[in-house]
Amino acid sequence: MDTAEVERLIEEGIEDAEATVTKPRVPDEDHEDAHFAAVVVSPAFEGVPLVQQHEMVYDALEGYMTTDIHALEMKTYTPETYAEHGDA
């Protein structure tokens, strides 16, 4: 699975989401390396506790977290919070 596919799944699974997904470490050519990092911005996170925001992202990736994605670092923001603080 590549970063574009992870972005697509998140954006399709969370209303009005914009996702930026990267691979935070150098891929190991000898092993399957499926570590990703995501920054997700969506108005759907407004008033939702952080843990539930992360659950929304995991739900959008349902079925892939145990097969194609080994680890996922994530930061979630509402558009307002992202505009104020950026990806800090």
Side-chain angles (χ1 to χ4, degrees):
M1 177 167 283
D2 64 14
T3 56
E5 179 70 4
V6 177
E7 287 176 357
R8 183 187 67 76
L9 290 167
I10 293 170
E11 290 174 351
E12 288 179 358
I14 299 173
E15 185 176 352
D16 295 323
E18 292 183 28
T20 302
V21 178
T22 59
K23 288 199 171 188
R25 53 194 243 185
V26 178
D28 182 345
E29 305 251 346
D30 295 329
H31 298 91
E32 183 72 30
D33 193 5
H35 290 82
F36 295 93
V39 175
V40 184
V41 181
S42 174
F45 296 144
E46 187 68 42
V48 177
L50 185 62
V51 171
Q52 288 180 331
Q53 292 176 21
H54 289 197
E55 287 175 357
M56 291 168 69
V57 175
Y58 287 131
D59 288 346
L61 299 170
E62 183 179 343
Y64 294 97
M65 287 303 301
T66 58
T67 57
D68 297 281
I69 300 171
H70 175 72
L72 178 67
E73 300 171 26
M74 76 176 92
K75 295 181 181 178
T76 53
Y77 301 95
T78 64
E80 294 78 20
T81 303
Y82 190 77
E84 288 176 23
H85 304 287
D87 181 22

